[in-house]
Amino acid sequence: MAELKLDTFIIQLAILFLPGVVWARIDASWTRQTKPSDTEFFVRAFLFGLTCHAIVYTIFTLIGWPYEVVKLEASAFFTPSIIKEIFFATVVGFLLAVLWLYANTYKWMARFLQLIGATRRYGDEDVWDFTFNSRAPAVQFAHFRDFEHEVVYAGFVNAFSEREGIRELVLRDVEVYDFAGKLMYDVPLLYLSRKAETIHIEFPHRP
């Protein structure tokens, strides 16, 4: 009987913090380069869940809706009010996760701190991520110079990624030149993969 109560309690907690789990799952899948440990994931899900419920509580209070305090009892947990609160908190969690994704992708915090002169660092991410996540016109068109084969791939950055020791880049509307500047051929899309230490990329755009 005690085991049944414990299982019910865990299920209730899981449902209660569903908004945090949604947010943490999006964070783990799309904003982090390494998979978080189980402990880190659950801590983040707990904190994100608390944030979602706090925002829902604030919204309910401002618009005059009653907010029912959760009681972790099997007989009193699944009330219409609790279900409504969890639903709204899950919606808030998804929206905050998308906003969180934007903030991480475009490095809002790093750019704000640079704007006010507080730092010149890019944060935990390397310059590769920071540069290609930028919307600045100067980094949209690139020259990928291959010294080994003496060719230059000139095209617009379509996609990029980073793996352990490897950089991947997809260029579109690509023109391929030799080092003498002679056009060799052109292709709509070109995939490039090189070791990080061998990459040489130029950005010829001048504002």
Side-chain angles (χ1 to χ4, degrees):
M1 195 69 179
E3 183 178 353
L4 179 61
K5 290 184 177 180
L6 180 60
D7 291 341
T8 303
F9 177 77
I10 293 175
I11 293 173
Q12 290 174 342
L13 280 181
I15 296 174
L16 180 62
F17 287 100
L18 177 62
V21 172
V22 171
W23 186 349
R25 176 55 60 188
I26 293 177
D27 172 61
S29 300
W30 297 99
T31 67
R32 301 172 63 85
Q33 296 181 2
T34 58
K35 182 180 179 180
S37 65
D38 291 341
T39 301
E40 185 179 5
F41 177 84
F42 285 120
V43 169
R44 283 175 171 265
F46 176 76
L47 294 177
F48 291 158
L50 284 181
T51 301
C52 296
H53 283 288
I55 291 176
V56 170
Y57 171 78
T58 302
I59 294 175
F60 277 29
T61 301
L62 290 176
I63 63 179
W65 287 4
Y67 186 92
E68 183 177 347
V69 178
V70 175
K71 297 179 181 178
L72 295 177
E73 300 174 2
S75 60
F77 185 79
F78 292 104
T79 65
S81 297
I82 295 299
I83 294 175
K84 181 176 71 173
E85 291 166 9
I86 292 176
F87 170 77
F88 279 106
T90 303
V91 173
V92 169
F94 176 77
L95 295 177
L96 288 178
V98 174
L99 188 64
W100 180 268
L101 182 58
Y102 269 101
N104 279 272
T105 299
Y106 297 108
K107 309 298 183 293
W108 288 353
M109 179 59 72
R111 296 184 189 280
F112 171 72
L113 294 176
Q114 290 175 1
L115 180 65
I116 64 176
T119 183
R120 296 183 64 183
R121 292 186 60 210
Y122 296 101
D124 294 334
E125 295 79 11
D126 60 16
V127 179
W128 172 270
D129 286 337
F130 188 87
T131 299
F132 287 111
N133 273 318
S134 173
R135 291 184 173 180
V139 300
Q140 303 305 309
F141 186 82
H143 284 176
F144 189 106
R145 191 174 295 272
D146 189 331
F147 286 95
E148 180 181 356
H149 301 95
E150 296 189 351
V151 294
V152 177
Y153 305 98
F156 293 92
V157 177
N158 188 72
F160 72 95
S161 69
E162 176 187 354
R163 293 187 296 162
E164 187 67 29
I166 297 293
R167 297 291 192 268
E168 295 174 303
L169 195 65
V170 176
L171 301 178
R172 61 178 173 83
D173 301 328
V174 183
E175 294 180 338
V176 183
Y177 297 86
D178 60 21
F179 271 21
K182 179 182 177 181
L183 177 64
M184 300 170 61
Y185 61 92
D186 61 87
V187 290
L189 282 175
L190 179 69
Y191 168 82
L192 296 163
S193 178
R194 297 290 190 277
K195 292 182 179 180
E197 61 271 16
T198 65
I199 286 184
H200 179 94
I201 298 178
E202 303 161 357
F203 300 100
H205 174 79
R206 297 181 184 275

